[in-house]
């Protein structure tokens, strides 16, 4: 079986495909100062199985266009939305975040948790901005250094997998330079990584291995995930996801 399908199988039964939490999604909503009664059009980019889309649909008077390039994740999202009685508020769209099928100024809010790194932070900020209405809100979580200095091992790891990692000060400057004014920032606490993401993932390892008869490909995926978890456990003092909340400024 192909690696991508193995990754999909490992992750599709989970409530989230990256670090985060319902309370943290709500916190970002509050910091954004979003009116919970006003009708809103929201895009959730890289939505996975719907962790944030479901919270937004539950708490807001909004229609959410939930985008992911993996149909299996969108299918799970549809089931979850139906079960929660929220299906009429969420539309899944299978598309790449690199070429979004949207109109200019279509959305009041663009939301993206644990996903913008797939295009890169600065590229995403720039490319997604036209889809926001004037004064629209961007909420995006992004891998961020939480200290000015760090051990070489973790520096080298991130330099190789995502060299755009930087401190919140640098990221906030990038937001400002990309046409957003900052409304708020916070860093995801540890439980968003461990209890909400890594623990449920870890619980799936045995099943993935047995479903694939311990194949080399399945073992390699489990090993890679274990390595990532070990790095987080060792170095969680030095990095996290930062949640950035900005407003589109008027300038073009
Ligand atoms: N926001 C979800 C999922 C985060 S994981 C959560 O917080 O749980 C990142 C998601 O981005 C995955 O669902 C993955 O399928 C999706 N993704 C990765 N590259 C993409 C691309 N180029 N276009 C669209 N979606 C992409």
């Amino acid at each position: 079986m192909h690696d991508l399908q193995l990754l999909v199988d490992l992750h599709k039964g989970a409530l989230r495909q990256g670090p985060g939490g319902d309370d943290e999604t709500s916190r970002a909503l509050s910091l954004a100062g979003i009116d919970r009664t006003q009708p809103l059009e929201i895009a959730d980019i890289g939505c996975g199985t719907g962790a944030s889309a479901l919270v937004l649909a539950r708490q807001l008077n909004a229609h959410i266009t939930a985008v992911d390039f993996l149909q299996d994740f969108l299918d799970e999202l549809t089931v979850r939305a139906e079960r929660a009685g929220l299906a009429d508020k969420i539309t899944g769209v299978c598309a790449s975040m690199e070429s979004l099928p949207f109109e200019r100024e279509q959305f009041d809010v663009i939301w993206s948790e644990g996903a913008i790194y797939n295009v890169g932070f600065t590229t995403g900020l720039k490319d997604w901005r036209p889809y926001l209405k004037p004064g629209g809100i961007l909420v995006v979580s992004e891998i961020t250094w939480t200290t000015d200095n760090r051990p070489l091992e973790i520096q080298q790891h991130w330099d190789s997998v995502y060299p755009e990692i930087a401190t919140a000060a640098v990221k906030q400057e990038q937001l400002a330079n990309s046409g957003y004014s900052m409304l708020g920032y916070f860093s995801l606490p540890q439980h968003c990584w461990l209890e909400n993401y890594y623990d449920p993932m870890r619980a799936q390892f045995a099943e993935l291995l047995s479903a694939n008869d311990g194949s080399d490909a399945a073992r390699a995926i489990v090993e890679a995930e274990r390595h990532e978890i070990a790095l987080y456990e060792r170095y969680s003092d030095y990095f996290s996801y930062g949640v950035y909340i900005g407003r589109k400024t008027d300038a073009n």
Side-chain angles (χ1 to χ4, degrees), residues 41-60:
E41 282 296 330
I42 302 183
D44 183 349
I45 302 180
C47 61
T49 61
S52 46
L54 291 162
V55 173
L56 300 177
R58 198 173 294 123
Q59 295 195 11
L60 302 176

Side-chain angles (χ1 to χ4, degrees), residues 45-122:
I45 302 180
C47 61
T49 61
S52 46
L54 291 162
V55 173
L56 300 177
R58 198 173 294 123
Q59 295 195 11
L60 302 176
N61 179 20
H63 174 260
I64 293 123
T65 302
V67 182
D68 206 283
F69 72 167
L70 294 177
Q71 186 62 46
D72 284 13
F73 287 173
L74 292 169
D75 291 345
E76 292 290 331
L77 167 56
T78 302
V79 171
R80 292 177 72 191
E82 276 165 6
R83 222 181 272 147
L86 297 168
D88 57 334
K89 298 179 80 174
I90 303 178
T91 304
V93 172
C94 194
S96 171
M97 63 176 78
E98 288 170 60
S99 56
L100 291 162
F102 298 154
E103 308 283 326
R104 276 185 75 81
E105 302 186 358
Q106 186 176 337
F107 295 103
D108 301 285
V109 178
I110 290 180
W111 205 278
S112 183
E113 294 193 26
I116 196 171
Y117 72 88
N118 289 293
V119 283
F121 189 64
T122 50

